[in-house]
């Protein structure tokens, strides 16, 4: 069983004292300055020097000349150990060892947890759950997390960062410095605990691969998952969840938990231990944990037992409301709002039924709204009633990264600032890390300098320039297409097969979007199929099955076709959706026994047909004008 030991910084290490030293001349590293002083103490890094006037100066050894550093090194080696101090230190270490010994690992009891009952389409009603901290301050301090003296072969892999939500003064993050492929160097995780109000932070090095998963609401405790340096973080059933007490100088283990207790279900032949996938703080005394089998649990830290459980789908476990009272979970093919501590189902989010893959949620800071982003679509709900607004289309919003409300109106999704009032993108914020968070009235992001460290910066979004340019309400002039408009439908002669079927399907799509069809309308929907330039691709040889690989193997040619759907006005393309056919990814050995590889690729490419793509294409009801958005960069100094 894996035990958890975090390095504890012990203050009070023995330092050689040189009380009988004689004055000597000291020179700085540049050779420009000298000083007469007596050596008082030297701990290996810093020398304490007493001047003639009695003042004590503390100087880092690297600030002194080579001759002085050599002298210090010799004096430290000659300094005898004080037997009384050694004995006292040994006694103190024994006490600390007992006090800070790693606690016994606890196993989570899953069987007695209550299974959450999901109630389909129910009308919900709940109070908003606003963020405890609406605004940290007008100006927050930039926090610099320094890497210090780390190996140049280690690329610092940055993890997530977390604020404590009660007062927002603390932030937790970590950097994983992986050097396990070099036997002469040690891998280390640098854990940082920062102060938002002062910009100061303290760090602790740990030999294990630790990934933080949050600070408790009061900022006194932290969650970590422990992995292995020798393989991928997701490999094996070895990830242990650790709860530790935080202070500026040390992290003290409270207890560690096996990923999950071995479970023996009535119909199972084998008991099994299941990995931890995700964790978060619900309250100061409760945590949320999900596993590889997509079960989400609320766990009491007092008992180490699961209070309730629910089967969840893809995603990051759950999304908590700003105050932690509610959470959105993905179960089955739908999303639900639950009460965090009881697991009570408040209701289902209308319009979310689907795979849920790639759909990310966020609560507004006042707790009154919920938004989600998925594949060019933004959806908004009233968090107090569950009532859904009409989803709207924003091109180039992927949903790969979590969106964030920055106030009751604007959502920052990927790089775009989206106005939920006008249902349009209004600005583009680039730079900084994609891993952004909104907290205390500021958007936080990191700017890394690799070995030098990483800066955590907080800025107000939208900034004044954006707010001044944004319309107060929705304006029909902001859209290429909107309900009530008249459009014509044109199919290019290249669409020969199933032409009538595609024509009829698109006429129905346009009518469903409340558009009127007429010939020669100023705005036209144009469908086209074209042949693109010939390309080449290689298939890897010597493996089964053959897989697409650009690193070598047998090269073949292919001719892709491009399918396009465009809204045109005055001969100019206002909006476009396209797709391009590609060669097959897998070709088995059996397929190429009697048939040349080129023939197989040609045959498979010929099978691709545009009918299904056109029929499955969704036409947004409202399409914003593709205007040139203002652009701003997030950098180390703020918004530029």
């Amino acid at each position: 069983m894996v035990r958890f030991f975090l390095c504890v910084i012990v203050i009070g290490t023995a330092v050689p004292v040189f009380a009988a030293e004689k004055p000597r001349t000291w020179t700085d590293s540049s050779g420009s300055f000298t000083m007469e002083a007596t050596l008082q103490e030297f701990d290996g890094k810093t020398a304490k020097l007493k001047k003639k006037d009695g003042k004590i100066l503390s100087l880092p050894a690297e600030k002194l000349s080579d001759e002085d550093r050599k002298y210090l090194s010799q004096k430290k080696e000659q300094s005898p150990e004080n037997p009384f101090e050694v004995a006292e230190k040994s006694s103190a270490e024994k006490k600390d060892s007992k006090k800070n010994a790693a606690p016994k690992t606890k196993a989570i009891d899953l069987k007695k947890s209550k299974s959450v009952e999901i109630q389909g389409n129910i009308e919900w009603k709940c109070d908003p759950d606003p963020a405890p901290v609406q605004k940290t301050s007008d100006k927050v301090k930039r926090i610099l997390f320094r890497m210090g003296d780390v190996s140049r072969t280690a690329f610092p892999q940055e993890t997530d960062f977390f604020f404590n939500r009660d007062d927002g003064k603390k932030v937790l993050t970590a950097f994983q410095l992986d050097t396990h492929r070099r036997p002469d160097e040690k891998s280390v995780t640098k854990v940082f605990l920062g102060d938002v109000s002062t910009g100061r932070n303290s760090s602790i090095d740990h030999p294990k691969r630790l990934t933080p998963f949050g600070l408790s609401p009061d900022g006194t405790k932290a969650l970590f998952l422990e992995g292995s340096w020798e393989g991928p973080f997701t490999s094996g059933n070895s990830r242990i969840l650790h709860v530790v007490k935080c202070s500026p100088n040390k992290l003290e283990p409270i207890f560690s938990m096996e990923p999950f207790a071995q479970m023996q279900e009535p119909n199972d032949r084998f008991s099994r231990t299941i990995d931890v996938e995700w964790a978060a703080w619900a309250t100061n005394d409760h945590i949320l944990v999900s596993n590889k089998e997509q079960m989400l649990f609320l766990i009491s830290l007092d008992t180490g037992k699961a209070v309730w459980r629910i089967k969840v789908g893809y995603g990051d476990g759950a999304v908590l409301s700003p105050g932690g009272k509610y959470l959105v979970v993905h179960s089955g093919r739908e999303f639900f709002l639950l009460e965090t501590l009881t697991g009570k189902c408040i209701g289902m989010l209308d319009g979310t039924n689907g795979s849920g893959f790639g759909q990310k949620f966020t609560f507004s800071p006042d707790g009154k709204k919920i938004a989600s982003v998925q594949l060019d679509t933004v959806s908004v709900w009233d968090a107090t009633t569950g009532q859904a607004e009409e989803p709207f289309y924003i091109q180039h919003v992927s949903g790969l990264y979590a969106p964030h409300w920055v106030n009751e109106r604007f959502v920052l999704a990927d790089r775009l600032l989206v106005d939920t009032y006008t249902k349009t993108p209004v600005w583009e914020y680039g730079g900084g890390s994609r891993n952004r968070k909104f907290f205390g009235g500021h958007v936080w992001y990191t700017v890394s300098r690799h070995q030098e460290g990483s800066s955590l910066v907080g800025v107000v979004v939208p900034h004044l320039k954006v707010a001044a340019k944004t319309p107060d309400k929705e304006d029909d002039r902001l859209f290429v297409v909107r309900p009530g408009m008249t459009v014509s439908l044109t199919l290019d002669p290249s669409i020969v097969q199933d032409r009538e079927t595609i024509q009829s399907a698109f006429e129905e799509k346009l009518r469903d979007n409340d558009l009127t069809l007429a010939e020669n309308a100023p705005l036209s929907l144009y469908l086209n199929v074209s042949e693109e330039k010939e390309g080449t691709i290689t298939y890897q040889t010597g493996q089964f099955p053959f897989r697409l690989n650009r690193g070598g193997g047998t090269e073949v040619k292919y001719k892709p076709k491009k399918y396009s759907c465009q809204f045109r006005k005055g001969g100019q393309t206002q909006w476009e959706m396209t797709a391009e056919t590609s060669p097959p990814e897998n070709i088995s050995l059996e397929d190429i026994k009697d048939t040349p590889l080129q023939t197989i690729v040609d045959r498979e490419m010929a099978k691709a047909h545009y009918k299904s793509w056109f029929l499955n294409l969704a036409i947004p009801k409202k399409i914003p004008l593709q205007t040139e958005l203002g652009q701003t960069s997030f950098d180390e100094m703020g918004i530029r």
Side-chain angles (χ1 to χ4, degrees):
M1 184 178 292
V2 179
R3 292 288 193 271
F4 177 52
F5 293 91
L6 271 171
C7 297
V8 178
I9 299 177
V10 180
I11 308 299
T13 303
V15 178
V17 179
F18 306 95
E21 279 289 299
K22 294 181 179 180
R24 67 185 297 272
T25 301
W26 301 82
T27 308
D28 77 311
S29 57
S30 68
S32 304
F33 303 97
T34 60
M35 178 183 70
E36 289 288 325
T38 303
L39 176 63
Q40 298 290 300
E41 295 179 9
F42 180 57
D43 61 2
K45 292 184 179 179
T46 303
K48 285 191 175 181
L49 306 178
K50 185 177 181 180
K51 296 172 64 178
K52 288 183 179 180
D53 59 6
K55 290 183 179 179
I56 303 293
L57 298 180
S58 294
L59 285 175
E62 63 264 23
K63 297 282 188 181
L64 297 170
S65 66
D66 292 341
E67 183 181 345
D68 289 341
R69 289 200 297 270
K70 185 177 179 181
Y71 172 80
L72 288 172
S73 178
Q74 291 172 348
K75 297 299 292 183
K76 191 172 190 302
E77 289 175 2
Q78 296 167 5
S79 177
E81 279 192 318
N82 184 334
F84 303 105
E85 197 172 60
V86 171
E88 187 177 332
K89 178 186 172 186
S90 176
S91 176
E93 285 178 345
K94 285 180 180 178
K95 283 185 179 180
D96 286 339
S97 177
K98 290 180 180 179
K99 183 180 177 181
N100 297 312
K104 292 182 178 179
T105 301
K106 294 185 179 181
I108 301 172
D109 184 357
L110 303 180
K111 294 183 180 179
K112 296 180 182 178
S113 60
K114 178 186 70 175
S115 179
V116 171
E117 294 183 7
I118 294 296
Q119 308 170 40
N121 268 314
I122 60 175
E123 184 178 348
W124 80 39
K125 186 177 181 181
C126 61
D127 296 326
D129 183 34
V133 179
Q134 290 295 319
K135 194 172 185 182
T136 50
S137 65
D138 290 333
K139 289 186 178 181
V140 293
K141 297 288 186 179
R142 176 174 62 95
I143 303 176
L144 178 59
F145 303 115
R146 295 185 182 276
M147 290 296 99
D149 186 18
V150 300
S151 168
R152 291 292 167 180
T153 63
F155 186 88
Q157 181 180 353
E158 186 175 359
T159 60
D160 207 344
F161 55 92
F162 304 88
F163 299 91
N164 72 302
R165 66 171 178 256
D166 284 357
D167 60 18
K169 291 183 179 179
K170 294 181 181 178
V171 60
L172 172 74
T173 191
F175 292 81
Q176 296 165 351
L177 305 170
D178 185 358
T179 61
H180 77 269
R181 293 177 180 86
R182 294 179 63 91
D184 57 326
E185 296 178 356
K186 293 182 179 179
S187 299
V188 66
T189 299
K190 295 186 75 72
V191 180
F192 290 90
L193 187 63
D195 188 317
V196 174
S197 58
T198 65
R200 298 172 184 168
N201 65 86
S202 55
S203 67
I204 294 173
D205 290 356
H206 192 273
K208 294 290 186 179
R209 183 174 186 174
L210 300 179
T211 299
F213 271 85
L215 274 171
S216 59
D218 61 10
T220 63
K221 298 185 287 289
L223 279 174
F224 291 93
L225 282 185
E226 178 190 326
S228 170
W229 295 110
E230 282 68 37
F233 186 62
T234 55
S235 66
N237 293 331
S238 61
R239 281 183 290 176
I240 307 299
L241 182 66
H242 303 296
V243 182
V244 302
K245 184 178 179 181
C246 296
S247 66
N249 294 323
K250 57 187 175 182
L251 301 177
E252 300 176 55
I254 298 176
F255 63 78
S256 304
M257 290 182 283
E258 281 286 359
F260 288 95
Q262 288 190 331
M263 295 177 12
Q264 182 71 55
E265 300 294 345
N267 298 326
D268 286 352
R269 293 180 58 194
F270 305 101
S271 62
R272 60 195 183 278
T273 301
I274 305 168
D275 253 355
V276 172
E277 284 284 290
W278 173 88
W281 287 95
T283 69
N284 290 317
D285 304 312
H286 295 83
I287 58 175
L288 291 160
V289 182
S290 64
N291 64 18
K292 274 190 173 181
E293 293 207 347
Q294 298 175 350
M295 292 295 295
L296 177 68
F297 300 86
L298 178 74
I299 296 168
S300 168
L301 295 184
D302 292 334
T303 64
K305 295 180 180 180
V307 179
W308 54 256
R309 68 185 186 276
I310 184 175
K311 181 75 173 179
V312 293
Y314 296 102
D316 297 327
V319 178
L320 282 156
S321 59
K325 188 176 180 180
Y326 308 107
L327 69 156
V328 172
V329 298
H330 179 209
S331 183
R333 297 177 63 84
E334 296 160 334
F335 287 85
F336 297 86
L337 186 73
L338 303 183
E339 198 171 61
T340 304
L341 289 182
T342 65
K344 176 185 175 183
C345 180
I346 304 297
M348 185 184 77
L349 289 167
D350 289 333
T352 60
N353 52 324
S355 68
F357 183 77
Q359 191 163 10
K360 301 291 194 302
F361 286 80
T362 178
F363 282 83
S364 60
D366 59 11
K368 293 181 179 180
K369 292 182 179 180
I370 301 171
S372 82
V373 173
Q374 182 188 34
L375 298 175
D376 300 335
T377 302
V378 178
S379 303
V380 178
W381 295 265
D382 185 325
T384 62
T385 65
Q387 185 175 357
E389 298 180 11
E390 184 74 27
F392 56 95
Y393 171 84
I394 300 291
Q395 197 169 20
H396 305 310
V397 170
S398 65
L400 291 176
Y401 302 92
H404 300 284
W405 287 92
V406 296
N407 54 33
E408 73 284 349
R409 176 174 178 176
F410 294 97
V411 173
L412 187 61
D414 292 348
R415 299 168 63 93
L416 297 179
L417 184 70
V418 177
D419 186 350
T420 61
Y421 287 8
T422 64
K423 298 178 173 54
T424 60
V426 295
W427 205 264
E428 183 175 354
Y429 287 97
S433 61
R434 287 297 187 101
N435 178 27
R436 297 171 185 156
K437 287 193 174 180
F438 179 83
F439 188 84
H442 295 79
V443 172
W444 296 86
Y445 58 92
T446 56
V447 178
S448 295
R449 291 185 177 180
H450 305 305
Q451 272 82 4
E452 292 181 22
S454 180
S455 294
L456 181 64
V457 187
V459 295
V460 175
V461 171
H463 58 289
L464 294 177
K465 185 177 181 181
V466 181
K469 288 189 172 185
T470 305
D472 292 332
K473 58 183 179 180
E474 187 173 325
D475 188 334
D476 287 346
R477 292 171 297 181
L478 300 173
F479 297 92
V480 175
V481 181
R482 64 183 187 279
M485 293 183 70
T486 299
V487 299
S488 60
L489 177 63
T490 303
L491 273 66
D492 188 85
S494 59
I495 300 177
V496 179
Q497 293 178 298
D498 301 298
R499 186 180 180 88
E500 292 183 1
T501 302
I502 295 172
Q503 172 99 18
S504 177
F506 269 82
E507 288 176 354
E508 186 176 351
K509 290 175 191 283
L510 295 174
R511 292 192 185 101
D512 287 343
N513 284 358
D514 298 325
L515 298 170
T516 301
L517 283 166
E519 292 185 6
N520 301 319
L523 185 66
S524 173
L525 182 63
Y526 177 73
L527 309 182
N528 179 50
V529 176
S530 60
E531 282 198 357
E532 298 298 291
K533 291 182 179 179
E534 184 178 78
T536 60
I537 200 160
T538 59
Y539 284 84
Q540 186 177 2
T541 57
Q543 292 188 14
F544 178 81
F546 279 47
R547 293 187 179 277
L548 223 61
N549 189 324
R550 298 192 183 274
T554 305
E555 185 176 86
V556 293
K557 297 179 180 180
Y558 71 99
K559 279 190 176 181
K561 288 186 177 181
K562 181 180 178 181
Y563 312 149
S564 64
C565 173
Q566 306 170 345
F567 274 107
R568 292 180 173 182
K569 187 175 183 180
Q572 299 293 320
T573 299
Q574 303 289 308
W575 175 84
E576 181 179 33
M577 290 290 285
T578 63
E580 194 171 287
T581 59
S582 59
E585 290 194 8
N586 297 317
I587 298 177
S588 70
L589 293 173
E590 290 294 323
D591 291 337
I592 61 171
K593 276 185 177 179
D594 304 313
T595 309
L597 181 59
Q598 182 68 64
T599 302
I600 295 173
V601 171
D602 292 342
R603 183 183 65 200
E604 294 299 315
M605 291 288 290
K607 285 183 182 179
H609 185 40
Y610 48 74
K611 177 183 175 182
S612 60
W613 185 82
F614 281 119
L615 294 183
N616 292 326
L617 187 65
I619 306 295
K621 280 191 173 184
K622 291 185 177 182
I623 300 177
L625 283 167
Q626 291 183 323
T627 54
E628 195 71 31
L629 294 177
Q631 294 182 335
T632 303
S633 292
F634 291 148
D635 65 14
E636 196 170 5
M637 303 308 296
I639 295 176
R640 295 282 177 171

